[in-house]
Amino acid sequence: MGPLFDSYREIIPDFPAFLESLKVPLPTHLRVNRLKIRPADLIKILSQKGVEVKRSLDSDDGLLLAPDLKSPGSLMEYALGYYHPQALTSCLAAMLLGATPAAFVLDLCASPGGKTSHLAQLMENSGLIMANELYTRRHIPLSHTLGRLGVLNTVITAYPAQEFPLRHRFDFILADVPCSGEGRFRWTTKSSRYEERKARQTLYDLQRRTILRAFDLLNEQGVMVYATCTYNPDENESVIDFLLKHRDAEVLPGELGLAAEPGLGAWERTVYDRRLQRAMRFYPHRVDSVGFFMARVGRR
Amino acid sequence: MEDRFGIPASAFDDYLMIEKSRSRWLLRRSPHLKSMLSYKVSSWGMKAFQRVGHFIKPTTRVIQVFGTLATRAVVQLGKGQLQCMIDGKDLYIESALENGYVILALEDHVLGMGLLINGRLRLQIRKSDLKPLSPGLDA
């Protein structure tokens, strides 16, 4: 496989197993849309169609692994909004945020809407979600996802996340920021290529500005989740460390019932704030899904 | 919705209806809504109705949510009939229903809208949504 992700050899535990896991295609995970159907009813319908599923998490019967379902968008139940094909680790962001019914929620980088619709589901379609997405062309898949899944508590805006207007404060904020997307990479075809640490300084700057703005938009008792689908510490721990240095912020503990590694204590020549250990890293050889980083943050 | 489909008006009590051009959008009421007035919002909730000529047509999405409450103007399709319509053919049915929009259902599932004119039934579902609705397509 060559030197793929070689600069992470020292920070990713059991690095050979990590590399091996990248040779396997991403499995199909489904999130049952409880706004429209109960998990047991969907499982029964799928079973009648010959689609076998099993629970992805002991703690949640609405997250399913469908190992043999290659085209989850081709079933009638998809069109009816009974489920959403979504990586297991992607589902964890909304769960970690823990948005409650009736809350005022901001999703800063919302398209294509998987996490937004999950938030709406957890909020039982109540309260209000501002789904922000700068690029209006990305409002099309966002609107499609929200509509198909029967989301009725969400408005869409198009502000730059790092300049989102400071007019009101929110109970919960999801900052699932643009990133280099390393966690999505799988070495499944000969043409699979990855340019390691392709992120550039402009992306790092955007992430830092976005997390500061997200924090400034948070209520006194508010909670935010910063998430990326990359392994690159410059886009993960470095960003949270930057926030801790510039704001009176705290990294909050979170429990998801899934194998997570703690955030890094250091990277290259940088030593991070010890509170970064409460952040979570998800690796494909520990959880067979997209690699993710998440940190739950509140005010001190 | 009440006159045509028997969906009680009270089903929409918790929602705000926002009219924009020929479309009406449905958004869950919330105390936070007044905060929205200071933002530039590009879409509000779910696109629920569209004016077509003199008629107000419910969208596929809104009927998939509220259609289960309908007590009339519902056409139960068989799998063969649905496939026929997805293949682009009109369906002729014997029905006492008045001409106009109808709700299409397959078993317990509300699929979307159809248009019934003198016994001829036409699908009113976007092409992009049609393919997965095909009952013949399993895993």
Side-chain angles (χ1 to χ4, degrees):
Chain A
M1 185 163 292
L4 193 72
F5 295 125
D6 206 46
S7 60
Y8 302 150
R9 184 176 289 276
E10 300 304 318
I11 60 170
I12 295 180
D14 198 358
F15 193 72
F18 164 74
L19 289 182
E20 279 302 306
S21 72
L22 301 183
K23 294 176 183 172
V24 181
L26 273 169
T28 301
H29 284 276
L30 309 177
R31 173 172 58 80
V32 181
N33 180 22
R34 293 175 196 266
L35 296 177
K36 290 198 169 186
I37 195 167
R38 291 181 302 179
D41 293 337
L42 178 65
I43 291 168
K44 188 175 170 188
I45 292 170
L46 292 178
S47 175
Q48 287 166 351
K49 290 192 161 189
V51 180
E52 292 306 320
V53 295
K54 54 186 179 185
R55 280 168 75 148
S56 305
L57 283 182
D58 290 339
S59 56
D60 191 329
D61 62 353
L63 301 180
L64 306 174
L65 171 67
D68 301 321
L69 184 58
K70 301 304 175 200
S71 302
S74 66
L75 296 183
M76 185 176 81
E77 289 69 27
Y78 169 84
L80 297 177
Y82 291 171
Y83 65 79
H84 186 63
Q86 188 172 359
L88 174 61
T89 40
S90 167
C91 296
L92 301 177
M95 294 164 67
L96 185 64
L97 186 61
T100 49
F104 191 21
V105 176
L106 173 62
D107 186 350
L108 267 173
C109 312
S111 190
K115 297 180 187 74
T116 317
S117 56
H118 195 186
L119 288 169
Q121 176 188 311
L122 297 172
M123 295 164 67
E124 298 164 10
N125 239 345
S126 68
L128 185 64
I129 300 175
M130 287 187 76
N132 184 66
E133 175 55 52
L134 171 61
Y135 299 105
T136 50
R137 67 176 184 276
R138 302 193 74 199
H139 288 192
I140 296 167
L142 175 60
S143 297
H144 182 267
T145 302
L146 299 179
R148 184 176 56 81
L149 296 172
V151 173
L152 286 151
N153 66 340
T154 301
V155 300
I156 298 176
T157 57
Y159 295 102
Q162 71 278 15
E163 295 168 13
F164 194 90
L166 288 165
R167 291 175 194 151
H168 299 278
R169 294 201 171 183
F170 295 84
D171 302 320
F172 296 94
I173 297 175
L174 179 60
D176 180 40
V177 299
C179 70
S180 55
E182 293 172 344
R184 305 194 64 81
F185 178 82
R186 293 279 171 129
W187 187 278
T188 50
T189 65
K190 284 183 178 175
S191 60
S192 295
R193 286 184 182 178
Y194 183 73
E195 187 186 336
E196 199 167 329
R197 295 181 68 191
K198 64 180 178 182
R200 298 201 161 77
Q201 194 59 44
T202 50
L203 184 58
Y204 304 160
D205 292 342
L206 175 68
Q207 291 162 341
R208 281 161 174 72
R209 291 175 64 199
T210 300
I211 199 169
L212 288 186
R213 180 51 60 106
F215 185 80
D216 293 342
L217 286 161
L218 207 54
N219 270 341
E220 280 303 313
Q221 303 299 319
V223 174
M224 63 178 271
V225 164
Y226 175 86
T228 72
C229 57
T230 190
Y231 311 112
N232 186 353
D234 289 333
E235 300 178 62
N236 295 327
E237 284 85 352
S238 294
V239 179
I240 303 294
D241 195 65
F242 177 80
L243 172 70
L244 295 175
K245 283 186 170 67
H246 289 83
R247 295 290 189 273
D248 208 10
E250 184 65 282
V251 182
L252 306 172
E255 175 55 50
L256 290 165
L258 205 61
E261 303 294 329
L264 303 177
W267 166 245
E268 295 181 336
R269 291 186 205 118
T270 308
V271 175
Y272 297 127
D273 189 303
R274 290 178 62 181
R275 290 173 284 176
L276 254 307
Q277 290 188 3
R278 295 185 200 136
M280 298 179 198
R281 288 182 152 258
F282 297 96
Y283 294 114
H285 58 307
R286 300 281 209 244
V287 181
D288 188 14
S289 187
V290 174
F292 253 91
F293 171 89
M294 290 176 206
R296 193 164 180 259
V297 173
R299 293 181 183 276
R300 285 183 84 176
Chain B
M1 293 285 267
E2 189 155 25
D3 290 348
R4 178 70 182 169
F5 303 114
I7 298 173
S10 59
F12 300 96
D13 282 353
D14 289 340
Y15 300 91
L16 196 68
M17 190 85 76
I18 297 146
E19 195 157 355
K20 199 174 160 185
S21 186
R22 288 172 169 268
S23 301
R24 293 179 188 179
W25 300 73
L26 208 57
L27 179 65
R28 185 78 181 260
R29 290 184 192 276
S30 159
H32 308 298
L33 274 176
K34 57 181 182 293
S35 307
M36 286 299 96
L37 299 175
S38 60
Y39 296 98
K40 189 177 177 187
V41 172
S42 45
S43 79
W44 300 81
M46 176 184 284
K47 187 176 176 183
F49 304 97
Q50 190 154 20
R51 186 178 295 280
V52 181
H54 297 295
F55 299 99
I56 302 291
K57 179 191 163 195
T59 63
T60 299
R61 300 311 181 199
V62 82
I63 219 65
Q64 284 179 345
V65 173
F66 293 94
T68 51
L69 302 173
T71 55
R72 51 183 177 266
V74 178
V75 175
Q76 285 288 343
L77 297 172
K79 287 183 179 179
Q81 289 175 308
L82 175 60
Q83 190 62 58
C84 178
M85 295 179 82
I86 289 171
D87 291 342
K89 297 166 191 161
D90 290 342
L91 194 69
Y92 290 86
I93 60 169
E94 284 190 22
S95 170
L97 289 172
E98 285 181 25
N99 286 345
Y101 291 113
V102 294
I103 294 172
L104 302 178
L106 177 72
E107 296 160 356
D108 295 333
H109 312 292
V110 174
L111 305 174
M113 300 302 300
L115 181 62
L116 182 69
I117 299 175
N118 300 327
R120 189 178 75 173
L121 184 59
R122 304 180 74 173
L123 267 178
Q124 298 287 299
I125 300 173
R126 283 191 309 188
K127 282 185 180 174
S128 58
D129 293 328
L130 282 179
K131 193 180 167 191
L133 284 178
S134 172
L137 273 177
D138 282 358

